[in-house]
Amino acid sequence: MEKITNNVYMGNTFRGCNSSFVVTSAGVVVIDTPMVPAEAKQWRQEIEKHGEIKYVINGEPHNDHVAGNCWMGGTLVAQEGTRTVIRQNRKEDLEGQMKWMAPDAVPLPKEFHFRLPDITFSHNLTIYLGEHTFQLMHMPGHTPSEVAVYVPEEKVLFTSDNVIMGMPIMISAVPDAWLESLKKLQKLDVNKVIPGHGPAMDKSALQTMYDSVAYCTTELKTAVARGWSLQEVQEKVTFAEKWPLMPGDPMKSMRYECLAYMYGQLSKK
């Protein structure tokens, strides 16, 4: 666990996304949850040393951000699109994902279930707890229902996977909206950015991610404009010149999936 400010803590060693929490005078707010049951349970114990969990916020609907919901307390909040996707998530798919990310977590405990948000919103929502303000902003990008959480009193921004280390994961992305979202986030008064994966960063991470998303989008749009087939795109547009693949890299198949998804989206235009 890393202490970001006097009241903000981040866990970035989970086999999945980062999970963070903010301690207020009236309780604790959790942002995203660990996907591995044992890690989620241990994380809750750690959080409760600082106070009662009042709210849990899901920044997006992917399993590595929401599978730990059922192990947390409090009121669960998400963008309405995230609730829709969670309703469609299947335990079998999560276990398949676990087999290569956390094989010791399979099979999942019998008591596991996909917990649905108690409160949803469309565009923006503000939560006031103790002396802290939590501004939840719909920022489509990595997913259509991506949410950023800004805590002005701490000058900390939680981005989920709209900001990550390395190559953008575009398996369900809306890239043009992603760029707009990153532009909006750059207008905030921020000292620390908590990404979906990787260490805490300063505000420059927002521009770095903007450049990465723009690079990938431009490369793919150029390939589509040339009339390349999906097979040609997957063979030629590897992004390896910017983000080299290591031998046996499990992300190789993810790149193929991202390219297939983006190719389908861009070919429609």
Side-chain angles (χ1 to χ4, degrees):
M1 183 174 70
E2 180 180 356
K3 190 173 184 178
I4 306 301
T5 71
N6 286 337
N7 299 300
V8 178
Y9 298 81
M10 177 182 71
N12 65 356
T13 60
F14 300 120
R15 290 169 289 178
C17 76
N18 292 335
S19 179
S20 305
F21 64 90
V22 180
V23 180
T24 81
S25 59
V28 179
V29 175
V30 180
I31 296 94
D32 286 327
T33 61
M35 70 183 291
V36 177
E39 294 177 354
K41 293 175 184 179
Q42 185 176 9
W43 188 232
R44 176 176 179 170
Q45 291 175 0
E46 188 62 40
I47 294 168
E48 290 180 336
K49 294 177 183 178
H50 299 267
E52 181 183 355
I53 297 174
K54 294 293 188 177
Y55 293 95
V56 177
I57 301 168
N58 285 153
E60 62 159 271
H62 287 159
N63 281 334
D64 60 324
H65 294 252
V66 306
N69 288 347
C70 65
W71 313 114
M72 302 291 157
T75 300
L76 183 59
V77 184
Q79 205 275 341
E80 58 188 18
T82 288
R83 192 179 197 276
T84 298
V85 174
I86 294 175
R87 286 180 64 89
Q88 299 167 356
N89 286 352
R90 302 190 317 141
K91 184 176 180 180
E92 295 80 7
D93 293 336
L94 175 59
E95 288 184 324
Q97 188 177 0
M98 291 280 201
K99 285 179 181 177
W100 65 274
M101 292 185 68
D104 58 302
V106 180
L108 290 166
K110 290 183 179 180
E111 66 270 25
F112 168 82
H113 62 280
F114 283 108
R115 179 186 171 192
L116 293 172
D118 303 299
I119 295 173
T120 63
F121 63 98
S122 298
H123 302 295
N124 298 303
L125 175 70
T126 301
I127 297 173
Y128 299 96
L129 189 65
E131 302 302 317
H132 283 77
T133 308
F134 297 82
Q135 297 178 10
L136 283 62
M137 300 167 286
H138 182 209
M139 292 286 166
H142 169 68
T143 68
S145 60
E146 208 79 7
V147 165
V149 181
Y150 177 51
V151 185
E153 293 83 4
E154 304 292 336
K155 294 188 177 181
V156 174
L157 175 68
F158 304 87
T159 65
S160 275
D161 285 8
N162 267 350
V163 177
I164 61 171
M165 296 293 291
M167 192 188 86
I169 304 301
M170 295 183 155
I171 201 165
S172 53
V174 277
D176 291 336
W178 197 341
L179 294 173
E180 286 302 312
S181 292
L182 289 167
K183 282 183 182 178
K184 292 175 183 177
L185 293 176
Q186 289 184 62
K187 296 177 182 179
L188 299 172
D189 184 11
V190 172
N191 287 339
K192 286 290 185 180
V193 173
I194 310 299
H197 301 266
M201 295 176 274
D202 61 29
K203 190 176 180 178
S204 66
L206 297 170
Q207 182 61 50
T208 299
M209 194 67 188
Y210 181 96
D211 293 341
S212 295
V213 174
Y215 172 82
C216 292
T217 303
T218 299
E219 290 289 300
L220 284 165
K221 285 182 177 179
T222 300
V224 170
R226 288 174 177 167
W228 290 358
S229 66
L230 173 58
Q231 183 177 350
E232 288 176 305
V233 169
Q234 290 177 321
E235 289 174 354
K236 298 176 182 180
V237 185
T238 65
F239 305 126
E241 67 280 0
K242 193 171 179 67
W243 298 287
L245 275 168
M246 302 299 290
D249 194 331
M251 293 303 290
K252 184 175 181 179
S253 61
M254 179 70 78
R255 293 195 191 202
Y256 283 148
E257 290 181 47
C258 290
L259 288 167
Y261 175 81
M262 289 298 295
Y263 180 84
Q265 294 297 306
L266 295 172
S267 296
K268 295 175 183 177
K269 296 183 179 181

